[in-house]
PDB file of all heavy atoms in Angstrom:
ATOM      1  N   GLU C 288       0.845  -1.173   0.025  1.00 94.00           N
ATOM      2  CA  GLU C 288      -0.040  -0.016  -0.052  1.00 94.00           C
ATOM      3  C   GLU C 288       0.852   1.208  -0.024  1.00 94.00           C
ATOM      4  O   GLU C 288       1.925   1.369   0.744  1.00 94.00           O
ATOM      5  CB  GLU C 288      -0.982   0.044   1.288  1.00 94.00           C
ATOM      6  CG  GLU C 288      -1.691   1.368   1.512  1.00 94.00           C
ATOM      7  CD  GLU C 288      -2.585   1.287   2.705  1.00 94.00           C
ATOM      8  OE1 GLU C 288      -2.778   0.211   3.319  1.00 94.00           O
ATOM      9  OE2 GLU C 288      -2.966   2.436   3.078  1.00 94.00           O
ATOM     10  N   LEU C 291       0.139   8.055   1.771  1.00 98.00           N
ATOM     11  CA  LEU C 291       0.536   9.518   1.464  1.00 98.00           C
ATOM     12  C   LEU C 291       0.455  10.225   2.786  1.00 98.00           C
ATOM     13  O   LEU C 291      -0.510  10.096   3.604  1.00 98.00           O
ATOM     14  CB  LEU C 291      -0.653   9.958   0.457  1.00 98.00           C
ATOM     15  CG  LEU C 291      -0.627   9.334  -0.826  1.00 98.00           C
ATOM     16  CD1 LEU C 291      -1.843   9.931  -1.682  1.00 98.00           C
ATOM     17  CD2 LEU C 291       0.605   9.434  -1.599  1.00 98.00           C
ATOM     18  N   GLU C 304      -3.412  35.784   0.643  1.00 96.00           N
ATOM     19  CA  GLU C 304      -2.126  35.116   0.925  1.00 96.00           C
ATOM     20  C   GLU C 304      -1.868  33.964   0.068  1.00 96.00           C
ATOM     21  O   GLU C 304      -2.780  33.295  -0.527  1.00 96.00           O
ATOM     22  CB  GLU C 304      -2.005  34.650   2.432  1.00 96.00           C
ATOM     23  CG  GLU C 304      -1.756  35.878   3.389  1.00 96.00           C
ATOM     24  CD  GLU C 304      -1.225  35.473   4.770  1.00 96.00           C
ATOM     25  OE1 GLU C 304      -2.029  34.779   5.328  1.00 96.00           O
ATOM     26  OE2 GLU C 304      -0.159  35.891   5.090  1.00 96.00           O
ATOM     27  N   LEU C 308       0.765  23.674  -0.004  1.00 98.00           N
ATOM     28  CA  LEU C 308       0.470  22.331   0.794  1.00 98.00           C
ATOM     29  C   LEU C 308       1.340  21.272   0.139  1.00 98.00           C
ATOM     30  O   LEU C 308       1.630  21.202  -1.007  1.00 98.00           O
ATOM     31  CB  LEU C 308      -0.993  21.997   0.568  1.00 98.00           C
ATOM     32  CG  LEU C 308      -2.084  22.769   1.165  1.00 98.00           C
ATOM     33  CD1 LEU C 308      -2.115  24.233   0.662  1.00 98.00           C
ATOM     34  CD2 LEU C 308      -3.487  22.032   0.900  1.00 98.00           C
ATOM     35  N   SER C 309       1.821  20.347   1.040  1.00 98.00           N
ATOM     36  CA  SER C 309       2.723  19.306   0.647  1.00 98.00           C
ATOM     37  C   SER C 309       2.026  17.993   0.814  1.00 98.00           C
ATOM     38  O   SER C 309       1.277  17.616   1.791  1.00 98.00           O
ATOM     39  CB  SER C 309       3.997  19.496   1.535  1.00 98.00           C
ATOM     40  OG  SER C 309       4.821  18.330   1.323  1.00 98.00           O
ATOM     41  N   SER C 317       5.196   8.219  -9.624  1.00 96.00           N
ATOM     42  CA  SER C 317       5.472   8.836 -10.962  1.00 96.00           C
ATOM     43  C   SER C 317       4.666  10.267 -10.826  1.00 96.00           C
ATOM     44  O   SER C 317       4.840  11.069  -9.837  1.00 96.00           O
ATOM     45  CB  SER C 317       4.929   8.050 -12.080  1.00 96.00           C
ATOM     46  OG  SER C 317       5.343   8.569 -13.234  1.00 96.00           O
ATOM     47  N   ALA C 321      -3.397  13.250  -7.617  1.00 98.00           N
ATOM     48  CA  ALA C 321      -4.454  14.175  -7.681  1.00 98.00           C
ATOM     49  C   ALA C 321      -4.609  14.933  -6.360  1.00 98.00           C
ATOM     50  O   ALA C 321      -4.274  14.419  -5.385  1.00 98.00           O
ATOM     51  CB  ALA C 321      -5.803  13.442  -8.056  1.00 98.00           C
ATOM     52  N   PRO C 331     -16.295  15.958  -2.054  1.00 98.00           N
ATOM     53  CA  PRO C 331     -14.958  16.445  -2.566  1.00 98.00           C
ATOM     54  C   PRO C 331     -15.077  16.865  -4.077  1.00 98.00           C
ATOM     55  O   PRO C 331     -15.944  16.412  -4.821  1.00 98.00           O
ATOM     56  CB  PRO C 331     -13.973  15.304  -2.538  1.00 98.00           C
ATOM     57  CG  PRO C 331     -14.621  14.467  -1.306  1.00 98.00           C
ATOM     58  CD  PRO C 331     -16.019  14.608  -1.558  1.00 98.00           C
ATOM     59  N   ARG C 341      -4.942  20.971 -14.249  1.00 98.00           N
ATOM     60  CA  ARG C 341      -6.136  21.465 -13.653  1.00 98.00           C
ATOM     61  C   ARG C 341      -7.317  20.668 -14.260  1.00 98.00           C
ATOM     62  O   ARG C 341      -7.423  20.683 -15.485  1.00 98.00           O
ATOM     63  CB  ARG C 341      -6.274  23.012 -13.858  1.00 98.00           C
ATOM     64  CG  ARG C 341      -5.503  23.761 -12.673  1.00 98.00           C
ATOM     65  CD  ARG C 341      -5.917  25.251 -12.770  1.00 98.00           C
ATOM     66  NE  ARG C 341      -5.546  25.782 -14.096  1.00 98.00           N
ATOM     67  CZ  ARG C 341      -4.460  26.224 -14.497  1.00 98.00           C
ATOM     68  NH1 ARG C 341      -3.422  26.196 -13.567  1.00 98.00           N
ATOM     69  NH2 ARG C 341      -4.132  26.772 -15.565  1.00 98.00           N
ATOM     70  N   THR C 343     -11.467  20.349 -15.045  1.00 96.00           N
ATOM     71  CA  THR C 343     -12.295  21.312 -15.735  1.00 96.00           C
ATOM     72  C   THR C 343     -12.989  22.309 -14.830  1.00 96.00           C
ATOM     73  O   THR C 343     -13.390  21.925 -13.750  1.00 96.00           O
ATOM     74  CB  THR C 343     -13.374  20.525 -16.438  1.00 96.00           C
ATOM     75  OG1 THR C 343     -12.968  19.509 -17.309  1.00 96.00           O
ATOM     76  CG2 THR C 343     -14.401  21.418 -17.129  1.00 96.00           C
ATOM     77  N   GLY C 351      -0.379  22.634  -9.355  1.00 98.00           N
ATOM     78  CA  GLY C 351       0.144  21.487  -8.744  1.00 98.00           C
ATOM     79  C   GLY C 351       1.462  21.215  -9.433  1.00 98.00           C
ATOM     80  O   GLY C 351       1.742  21.657 -10.544  1.00 98.00           O
ATOM     81  N   LEU C 360       0.743  21.487  -3.811  1.00 98.00           N
ATOM     82  CA  LEU C 360      -0.461  22.177  -4.339  1.00 98.00           C
ATOM     83  C   LEU C 360      -0.308  23.586  -3.852  1.00 98.00           C
ATOM     84  O   LEU C 360      -0.096  23.841  -2.610  1.00 98.00           O
ATOM     85  CB  LEU C 360      -1.775  21.558  -3.793  1.00 98.00           C
ATOM     86  CG  LEU C 360      -3.019  22.393  -4.067  1.00 98.00           C
ATOM     87  CD1 LEU C 360      -3.237  22.254  -5.568  1.00 98.00           C
ATOM     88  CD2 LEU C 360      -4.225  21.985  -3.226  1.00 98.00           C
ATOM     89  N   ILE C 362      -1.929  27.613  -3.978  1.00 97.00           N
ATOM     90  CA  ILE C 362      -3.004  28.518  -4.227  1.00 97.00           C
ATOM     91  C   ILE C 362      -2.463  29.870  -4.115  1.00 97.00           C
ATOM     92  O   ILE C 362      -1.986  30.307  -3.066  1.00 97.00           O
ATOM     93  CB  ILE C 362      -4.133  28.274  -3.197  1.00 97.00           C
ATOM     94  CG1 ILE C 362      -4.495  26.863  -2.985  1.00 97.00           C
ATOM     95  CG2 ILE C 362      -5.392  29.063  -3.631  1.00 97.00           C
ATOM     96  CD1 ILE C 362      -5.527  26.611  -1.873  1.00 97.00           C
ATOM     97  N   ASP C 369     -11.832  29.396  -0.729  1.00 96.00           N
ATOM     98  CA  ASP C 369     -10.795  28.342  -0.796  1.00 96.00           C
ATOM     99  C   ASP C 369     -10.477  27.708   0.603  1.00 96.00           C
ATOM    100  O   ASP C 369      -9.706  26.795   0.735  1.00 96.00           O
ATOM    101  CB  ASP C 369      -9.564  29.033  -1.322  1.00 96.00           C
ATOM    102  CG  ASP C 369      -9.640  29.459  -2.643  1.00 96.00           C
ATOM    103  OD1 ASP C 369     -10.531  29.039  -3.415  1.00 96.00           O
ATOM    104  OD2 ASP C 369      -8.911  30.385  -3.114  1.00 96.00           O
ATOM    105  N   GLN C 376      -4.308  12.362  -3.431  1.00 98.00           N
ATOM    106  CA  GLN C 376      -4.720  10.957  -3.852  1.00 98.00           C
ATOM    107  C   GLN C 376      -3.772  10.297  -4.884  1.00 98.00           C
ATOM    108  O   GLN C 376      -3.582  11.103  -5.968  1.00 98.00           O
ATOM    109  CB  GLN C 376      -6.080  10.863  -4.230  1.00 98.00           C
ATOM    110  CG  GLN C 376      -6.677   9.508  -4.586  1.00 98.00           C
ATOM    111  CD  GLN C 376      -6.884   9.423  -5.992  1.00 98.00           C
ATOM    112  OE1 GLN C 376      -7.438  10.315  -6.762  1.00 98.00           O
ATOM    113  NE2 GLN C 376      -6.782   8.116  -6.734  1.00 98.00           N
ATOM    114  N   GLN C 377      -3.399   8.981  -4.771  1.00 97.00           N
ATOM    115  CA  GLN C 377      -2.524   8.523  -5.884  1.00 97.00           C
ATOM    116  C   GLN C 377      -3.319   7.384  -6.626  1.00 97.00           C
ATOM    117  O   GLN C 377      -4.092   6.741  -5.988  1.00 97.00           O
ATOM    118  CB  GLN C 377      -1.270   7.810  -5.239  1.00 97.00           C
ATOM    119  CG  GLN C 377      -1.363   6.863  -4.298  1.00 97.00           C
ATOM    120  CD  GLN C 377      -1.620   5.463  -4.951  1.00 97.00           C
ATOM    121  OE1 GLN C 377      -1.249   5.177  -5.946  1.00 97.00           O
ATOM    122  NE2 GLN C 377      -2.109   4.456  -4.052  1.00 97.00           N
ATOM    123  N   ARG C 378      -2.983   7.287  -7.908  1.00 97.00           N
ATOM    124  CA  ARG C 378      -3.468   6.229  -8.696  1.00 97.00           C
ATOM    125  C   ARG C 378      -2.400   5.337  -9.312  1.00 97.00           C
ATOM    126  O   ARG C 378      -2.636   4.502 -10.376  1.00 97.00           O
ATOM    127  CB  ARG C 378      -4.387   6.718  -9.677  1.00 97.00           C
ATOM    128  CG  ARG C 378      -3.784   7.824 -10.608  1.00 97.00           C
ATOM    129  CD  ARG C 378      -4.403   7.710 -12.112  1.00 97.00           C
ATOM    130  NE  ARG C 378      -3.907   6.555 -12.895  1.00 97.00           N
ATOM    131  CZ  ARG C 378      -4.047   6.519 -14.200  1.00 97.00           C
ATOM    132  NH1 ARG C 378      -4.705   7.346 -14.731  1.00 97.00           N
ATOM    133  NH2 ARG C 378      -3.552   5.449 -14.820  1.00 97.00           N
ATOM    134  N   THR C 384      -5.148   5.311  -2.815  1.00 97.00           N
ATOM    135  CA  THR C 384      -5.167   5.850  -1.393  1.00 97.00           C
ATOM    136  C   THR C 384      -5.107   7.338  -1.364  1.00 97.00           C
ATOM    137  O   THR C 384      -4.648   7.944  -2.410  1.00 97.00           O
ATOM    138  CB  THR C 384      -3.788   5.352  -0.684  1.00 97.00           C
ATOM    139  OG1 THR C 384      -2.646   5.562  -1.452  1.00 97.00           O
ATOM    140  CG2 THR C 384      -3.848   3.844  -0.457  1.00 97.00           C
ATOM    141  N   PHE C 385      -5.675   7.910  -0.327  1.00 98.00           N
ATOM    142  CA  PHE C 385      -5.716   9.276  -0.076  1.00 98.00           C
ATOM    143  C   PHE C 385      -4.760   9.719   1.002  1.00 98.00           C
ATOM    144  O   PHE C 385      -4.453   8.874   1.990  1.00 98.00           O
ATOM    145  CB  PHE C 385      -7.086   9.855   0.313  1.00 98.00           C
ATOM    146  CG  PHE C 385      -8.110   9.623  -0.679  1.00 98.00           C
ATOM    147  CD1 PHE C 385      -8.842   8.493  -1.012  1.00 98.00           C
ATOM    148  CD2 PHE C 385      -8.480  10.767  -1.487  1.00 98.00           C
ATOM    149  CE1 PHE C 385      -9.907   8.385  -1.956  1.00 98.00           C
ATOM    150  CE2 PHE C 385      -9.393  10.702  -2.497  1.00 98.00           C
ATOM    151  CZ  PHE C 385     -10.057   9.547  -2.725  1.00 98.00           C
ATOM    152  N   PRO C 387      -4.182  12.160   4.567  1.00 98.00           N
ATOM    153  CA  PRO C 387      -5.034  12.472   5.587  1.00 98.00           C
ATOM    154  C   PRO C 387      -5.696  13.935   5.574  1.00 98.00           C
ATOM    155  O   PRO C 387      -6.585  14.166   6.281  1.00 98.00           O
ATOM    156  CB  PRO C 387      -4.076  12.492   6.896  1.00 98.00           C
ATOM    157  CG  PRO C 387      -2.830  12.698   6.271  1.00 98.00           C
ATOM    158  CD  PRO C 387      -2.735  12.105   4.934  1.00 98.00           C
TER     159      PRO C 387
END
Side-chain angles (χ1 to χ4, degrees):
Chain C
E288 175 182 342
L291 299 179
E304 290 191 298
L308 289 67
S309 175
S317 186
R341 273 190 302 277
T343 303
L360 173 70
I362 311 171
D369 298 336
Q376 176 250 325
Q377 64 80 23
R378 56 151 281 192
T384 52
F385 290 87

